[in-house]
Amino acid sequence: MRQVFLYRDEDGYWIAECPSLRGCVSQGETKEIALTNIKEAINGYIKALEEDNIPIPLENFEALLVAI
């Protein structure tokens, strides 16, 4: 299980980012498409690490909402 951030870019696309897997980012025209795409990206990322015998980073990211 991985945490994912979802946010809109300046063009209106949804960006999905998995912070515990550095550089694992995807996008989509809708939230649903972005989520489908990031799941695929996470699976591919982990598979590539396994194939290269590289340790898979633990899920250690914590998100906080800060009111200003």
Side-chain angles (χ1 to χ4, degrees), residues 20 26 30-31 37 39 54 57 68:
S20 64
S26 196
T30 67
K31 283 183 187 181
N37 292 342
K39 287 177 187 177
I54 298 172
I68 298 176

Side-chain angles (χ1 to χ4, degrees), residues 8 12 23-24 29 37 39 42 50 54 59 62 65-66:
R8 279 186 179 245
C24 188
E29 291 182 17
N37 292 342
K39 287 177 187 177
I42 290 168
E50 290 172 339
I54 298 172
E59 175 59 72
E62 184 176 330
L65 185 61
V66 178

Side-chain angles (χ1 to χ4, degrees), residues 2 19-22 45-46 49 54-60:
R2 297 286 169 166
S20 64
L21 301 174
R22 188 174 298 233
Y45 191 111
I46 291 173
L49 291 176
I54 298 172
I56 298 167
L58 297 174
E59 175 59 72
N60 60 2

Side-chain angles (χ1 to χ4, degrees), residues 51-53:
E51 288 173 356
D52 292 339
N53 293 317

